Amino acid sequence: MLQKFRVWIITIVMFLALGVRAASPVPTPCDSVSPDTLRVSLITCAPGPEVYQLFGHTAMRVQRAGVDGFDMVFNYGVFSFSDDFVFKFTQGHTDYVLAVYDFKYFLTDYVMRGSTVYEQELNLTHAERKTVFDMLCVNARAENRVYRYNFLFDNCATRPRDKVEDALAVAGERVVYTDSDTLYTFRELIRYYAANYPWLTFGIDMALGGELDQTATWREHMFVPLLLQKACDEAVIVSESTSEARPLVCATTELFHSEEDPVLPPTPWYLTPMACALLLLAITLFITWRDIRTGRLSKWYDTILSAVMTLSGLIIYFLVVFSEHPATSFNIHALWLTPLAIVPAVLPYIRKAMPIVKWYHILNMILLLLFVVLVLCDVQRIDYAVLPLVAVSALRSLNFVFYCKRNFIR
């Protein structure tokens, strides 16, 4: 169980680090570039096998032909790792960097991991290409290239989109996207792309609260690189003055095609969170039955369960109170996973403290009932593997209260 809990924490952090790359040096951009020799493209990379690769990646490619030409990628998915990285990331205080380097190195990375890579050449005028490039170069300066990463609203996919829109606004034009007929919640989008990784979705569902169940607008869907690619394919550029329209993308090229899907196959059912939760419930039923039959209390078992619940509660409450990440401020899991679980982990060994533990378990059963009511009212979507865990907590609380009644502990 402790090993699974460790995996749970790691997967949350890895999820929050979507599109991460090692930091790369930023070359000095050319001060003067002829716009008629530039090509500006949106690069979309399909998902990979690692947790942080499940949503794919987006970058911008700028090319100039000729003897003194270049082929550069502008990559917003870069961070500098430090000793306090995990703590800062949990707080939502992680800064990412725009890195600029030769496109061939970028492409090689995705070819080696087996992810298909698409290029969408943008249908921009000569002046607009120059404006995009100038904006990217300004953004790549040392004083500008760092930004506060937000995995839902400000990431490797939204930044390139916004730069293109800013450049078009300078020319008095705007991008009009074709709205999708079907919109999903943020949680549904995350579950879809992480479907083969149930421990990841379990951890995300535990860490992120009810705000994740809001239906995202089509624009908000674009935090997923593959959905941004789809949106751009269907988008048009509209002139504010003449209302004339032209496609945003003039050509789409598959730079590398992977014959196999690099995403790992589905997790076997017997290794899923639900299977493990049901196994724990079965063990708890047996131990509780034995306690009732013998009239004794398995304090060691309650200590283990309560210690794990205490640590989980500390993480949940830290995210709710201190983290600046989106969708963490309201979370009904804070009802049944609380730091107060330290009470049944320690105090049952002190005879005079038994009444305190008894009242904790009564309060715990009330909070568990409230949690189930909120789930039934669809206040927040949960991973159903949580329900056996809630039953485990309820069983041990009931067992303790009955033990106190039998032994006249008030």
Side-chain angles (χ1 to χ4, degrees):
M1 177 58 68
L2 291 177
Q3 178 65 19
K4 292 298 183 183
F5 186 76
R6 178 173 176 271
V7 172
W8 179 78
I9 297 176
I10 293 173
T11 53
I12 293 173
V13 174
M14 293 299 284
F15 162 74
L16 294 177
L18 298 177
V20 168
R21 288 290 181 274
S24 304
V26 178
T28 303
C30 299
D31 294 327
S32 178
V33 178
S34 175
D36 59 357
T37 64
L38 288 177
R39 291 179 66 238
V40 178
S41 305
L42 196 68
I43 303 298
T44 303
C45 307
E50 300 297 332
V51 169
Y52 61 87
Q53 300 169 346
L54 292 180
F55 295 81
H57 188 54
T58 299
M60 293 202 72
R61 181 186 189 184
V62 181
Q63 302 167 265
R64 185 178 70 178
V67 177
D68 56 347
F70 57 79
D71 188 356
M72 296 191 300
V73 65
F74 290 79
N75 183 1
Y76 282 94
V78 174
F79 77 98
S80 295
F81 195 86
S82 60
D83 293 336
D84 58 350
F85 171 77
V86 174
F87 179 71
K88 285 185 176 181
F89 216 122
T90 306
Q91 286 182 300
H93 293 169
T94 305
D95 291 329
Y96 275 53
V97 177
L98 168 61
V100 187
Y101 50 99
D102 197 306
F103 181 73
K104 66 182 179 183
Y105 299 118
F106 178 87
L107 182 61
T108 299
D109 184 18
Y110 288 90
V111 171
M112 291 181 64
R113 88 177 192 193
S115 294
T116 299
V117 180
Y118 304 93
E119 179 179 27
Q120 293 169 296
E121 184 177 353
L122 301 182
N123 191 19
L124 307 178
T125 65
H126 297 329
E128 288 165 350
R129 294 178 212 162
K130 180 65 163 59
T131 301
V132 170
F133 182 68
D134 288 343
M135 286 184 171
L136 289 171
C137 287
V138 170
N139 202 178
R141 292 174 183 169
E143 65 272 22
N144 300 328
R145 64 195 185 112
V146 178
Y147 73 100
R148 183 57 52 88
Y149 182 82
N150 183 311
F151 65 91
L152 290 180
F153 303 112
D154 194 355
N155 67 2
C156 69
T158 62
R159 284 257 160 173
R161 176 200 64 189
D162 294 346
K163 280 292 175 285
V164 173
E165 292 177 349
D166 291 344
L168 288 170
V170 172
E173 296 182 323
R174 59 190 176 92
V175 180
V176 177
Y177 301 99
T178 302
D179 288 337
S180 175
D181 294 332
T182 306
L183 298 177
Y184 300 93
T185 66
F186 290 106
R187 195 183 305 277
E188 288 170 337
L189 290 170
I190 292 169
R191 285 179 175 179
Y192 175 81
Y193 285 95
N196 289 1
Y197 297 67
W199 283 102
L200 173 63
T201 57
F202 178 79
I204 292 169
D205 282 340
M206 293 288 289
L208 302 183
E211 297 170 40
L212 209 65
D213 296 310
Q214 297 177 0
T215 300
T217 65
W218 181 232
R219 183 175 182 81
E220 289 172 337
H221 278 60
M222 298 177 201
F223 82 92
V224 180
L226 293 177
L227 296 182
L228 173 64
Q229 179 192 23
K230 180 177 184 295
C232 291
D233 268 337
E234 301 170 351
V236 294
I237 301 173
V238 178
S239 171
E240 297 285 6
S241 58
T242 65
S243 297
E244 293 181 355
R246 68 183 189 275
L248 173 62
V249 175
C250 59
T252 299
T253 306
E254 195 174 79
L255 299 180
F256 170 73
H257 177 74
S258 177
E259 296 295 337
E260 298 182 1
D261 185 356
V263 176
L264 298 179
T267 300
W269 67 268
Y270 51 85
L271 295 178
T272 62
M274 178 60 81
C276 295
L278 290 174
L279 176 61
L280 180 63
L281 178 58
I283 295 172
T284 303
L285 283 168
F286 172 76
I287 292 177
T288 304
W289 169 80
R290 189 182 64 180
D291 284 351
I292 294 173
R293 183 179 179 183
T294 61
R296 309 174 93 179
L297 192 64
S298 298
K299 296 179 182 179
W300 63 271
Y301 189 68
D302 290 335
T303 296
I304 294 173
L305 289 178
S306 300
V308 174
M309 291 178 62
T310 299
L311 185 55
S312 301
L314 287 171
I315 295 173
I316 295 295
Y317 275 76
F318 180 87
L319 290 171
V320 169
V321 177
F322 298 107
S323 179
E324 295 180 11
H325 280 298
T328 59
S329 59
F330 173 78
N331 191 342
I332 65 173
H333 289 292
L335 290 172
W336 74 281
L337 289 175
T338 76
L340 289 176
I342 191 67
V343 171
V346 176
L347 295 187
Y349 298 95
I350 305 173
R351 180 70 181 178
K352 292 183 178 180
M354 291 290 277
I356 298 176
V357 182
K358 172 189 170 183
W359 284 109
Y360 163 82
H361 281 295
I362 292 174
L363 174 62
N364 185 52
M365 287 188 290
I366 295 172
L367 293 177
L368 291 174
L369 178 61
L370 178 58
F371 174 80
V372 173
V373 170
L374 293 178
V375 170
L376 293 175
C377 293
D378 205 24
V379 172
Q380 178 178 321
R381 298 293 177 89
I382 66 167
D383 190 306
Y384 290 126
V386 166
L387 296 179
L389 301 179
V390 169
V392 166
S393 181
L395 276 171
R396 296 312 295 171
S397 287
L398 280 169
N399 182 65
F400 194 93
V401 171
F402 287 145
Y403 173 84
C404 291
K405 184 177 181 180
R406 287 194 305 267
N407 292 275
F408 304 102
I409 298 175
R410 297 185 179 182

